[in-house]
């Protein structure tokens, strides 16, 4: 086995992350054929096939997936080291890679990212939406966003977005006129509930709280989905009761398109956190973003 070129390893990771040669080549400012040649050279140097190529997709082989899992953290450190050659506290450069839940991407980041990019023109931001709990370091991200109960103890956590949030229950007037208005969470057992299933396969259990009394209801009803938009649309159409982040429903409640249900039982919880590894070198774009969040919270 010949010693492979580091640049070829970087390009291999880029192809996998982009899901194909054409998109990866565009991001790298090179032709797809040149990029393909680099990957073939890497495979020849290693003596193993790294990618499964079809007319529709490009995916890593088992060997390619193992290699990518091992080299991603190292490539992140190399990238950070190069970035720091041109770094100072006033002019960070490079790419900030974030892994965030869908609600954060939809309701929190739009109010932060434009101002952050304006303050730090040398920084680019890549955001991946993912509601599952992944190893952000192994996956090649600088930081993630999760809620406190999901944070590992070896992570540094910085508040991002609203510090208090709520789940709210609601239904259309048509549904409530036909099925009645529940007065207690246990009444929901006799109602049609719109459930949420996470990408991990776990069912979202509804949890209500009032003066220390907690009631958990596994939603049973006509619809179970991982799509928040479909859940909201179904509630608007009268399919049942929905229980989700307040941000999804607030405009509809204000417009009267949905009506609140069990308002005294809506569960409040602490807002999300940006988190990153406390033993990893912190690249300049991430340091800049952390400083920006602290300034916003001041």
């Amino acid at each position: 086995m010949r010693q492979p070129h580091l640049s070829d390893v970087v390009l291999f990771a880029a192809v996998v992350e982009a899901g194909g040669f054409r998109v990866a080549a565009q991001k790298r400012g090179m032709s797809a054929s040149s990029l393909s040649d680099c990957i073939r050279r890497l495979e020849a140097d290693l003596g193993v096939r790294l990618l499964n190529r079809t007319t529709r997709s490009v995916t890593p082989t088992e060997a390619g997936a193992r290699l990518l899992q091992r080299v991603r953290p190292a490539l992140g450190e190399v990238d950070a080291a190069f970035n720091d050659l041109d770094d100072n506290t006033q002019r960070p450069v490079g790419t900030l890679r974030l892994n965030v839940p869908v609600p954060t991407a939809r309701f929190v980041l739009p109010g932060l990212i434009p101002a952050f990019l304006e303050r730090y023109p040398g920084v680019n931001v890549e955001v991946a939406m993912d509601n599952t709990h992944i190893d952000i370091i192994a996956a090649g991200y600088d930081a993630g966003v999760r809620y406190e109960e999901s944070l590992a103890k070896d992570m540094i956590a910085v508040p991002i977005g609203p510090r208090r949030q709520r789940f709210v229950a609601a239904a259309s007037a048509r549904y409530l006129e036909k099925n009645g208005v529940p007065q207690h969470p246990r009444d929901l057992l006799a109602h049609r509930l719109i459930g949420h299933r996470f990408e991990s396969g776990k069912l979202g259990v509804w949890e209500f709280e009032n003066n220390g009394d907690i009631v958990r209801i596994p939603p049973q009803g006509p619809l179970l989905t991982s799509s928040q938009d479909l859940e909201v649309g179904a509630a608007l159409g009268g399919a049942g009761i929905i229980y989700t982040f307040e941000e999804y429903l607030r405009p509809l409640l204000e417009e009267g398109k949905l009506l609140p249900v069990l308002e005294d039982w809506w569960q409040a919880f602490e807002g999300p956190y940006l988190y990153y590894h406390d033993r990893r070198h912190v690249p300049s774009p991430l340091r800049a973003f952390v400083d920006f969040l602290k300034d916003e919270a001041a």
Side-chain angles (χ1 to χ4, degrees):
M1 181 184 73
R2 296 194 301 267
Q3 183 70 27
H5 297 275
L6 178 60
S7 59
D8 290 345
V9 179
V10 172
L11 293 175
F12 162 66
V15 170
V16 176
E17 290 170 3
F21 285 93
R22 183 178 60 82
V23 175
Q26 289 175 346
K27 290 183 177 180
R28 294 282 168 170
M30 59 191 303
S31 68
S33 60
S34 297
L35 178 55
S36 181
D37 289 341
C38 293
I39 301 303
R40 289 194 185 92
R41 179 174 62 195
L42 176 62
E43 290 176 325
D45 289 342
L46 295 175
V48 64
R49 184 162 56 90
L50 299 175
L51 294 174
N52 292 314
R53 303 167 175 85
T54 70
T55 56
R56 294 187 176 183
S57 66
V58 176
T59 58
T61 63
E62 182 180 349
R66 290 200 311 269
L67 175 64
L68 193 60
Q69 184 178 19
R70 294 292 300 272
V71 302
R72 263 179 171 160
L75 292 178
E77 293 297 326
V78 170
D79 188 42
F82 286 144
N83 287 340
D84 282 353
L85 291 176
D86 191 29
D87 174 46
N88 58 54
T89 58
Q90 302 299 321
R91 192 165 58 90
V93 296
T95 299
L96 172 65
R97 297 177 178 87
L98 301 176
N99 182 282
V100 307
V102 173
T104 300
R106 186 166 181 176
F107 300 112
V108 176
L109 292 186
L112 296 172
I113 295 300
F116 172 70
L117 293 175
E118 183 177 2
R119 183 182 298 184
Y120 300 104
V123 175
N124 300 319
V125 178
E126 292 183 10
V127 178
M129 295 187 297
D130 188 347
N131 288 324
T132 61
H133 297 155
I134 67 168
D135 184 337
I136 56 169
I137 304 303
Y141 297 101
D142 299 304
V145 173
R146 290 294 180 268
Y147 288 85
E148 186 175 24
E149 70 274 9
S150 303
L151 297 176
K153 296 185 183 300
D154 60 347
M155 294 289 175
I156 295 176
V158 179
I160 182 172
R163 298 327 307 145
R164 296 297 291 173
Q165 291 183 271
R166 292 189 300 178
F167 286 125
V168 303
S172 69
R174 181 160 63 95
Y175 173 86
L176 296 175
E177 289 168 2
K178 180 179 179 181
N179 298 278
V181 180
Q183 302 300 313
H184 189 280
R186 283 188 286 272
D187 295 342
L188 294 173
L189 296 173
H191 277 267
R192 295 165 65 84
L193 309 182
I194 299 171
H196 184 83
R197 188 181 295 282
F198 296 99
E199 286 87 341
S200 63
K202 182 179 179 181
L203 175 68
V205 176
W206 294 9
E207 186 170 292
F208 298 88
E209 184 176 2
N210 187 330
N211 293 324
D213 187 11
I214 297 176
V215 180
R216 296 180 177 88
I217 304 292
Q220 299 290 328
L223 177 63
L224 180 63
T225 177
S226 61
S227 168
Q228 290 281 0
D229 291 336
L230 179 55
E231 292 170 36
V232 173
L236 286 169
I241 298 174
I242 186 173
Y243 191 52
T244 188
F245 284 91
E246 182 176 9
E247 288 84 352
Y248 282 105
L249 303 186
R250 186 185 300 125
L252 301 173
L253 292 168
E254 292 174 349
E255 295 169 10
K257 295 180 178 179
L258 290 177
L259 302 180
V261 173
L262 298 171
E263 209 165 344
D264 292 340
W265 287 87
W266 290 353
Q267 186 186 55
F269 52 93
E270 193 170 13
Y273 289 84
L274 179 85
Y275 71 98
Y276 55 98
H277 206 290
D278 67 351
R279 289 193 290 269
R280 186 186 179 203
H281 167 78
V282 180
S284 62
L286 177 56
R287 285 205 304 270
F289 192 55
V290 170
D291 291 341
F292 174 82
L293 293 178
K294 291 178 178 178
D295 289 345
E296 289 292 302

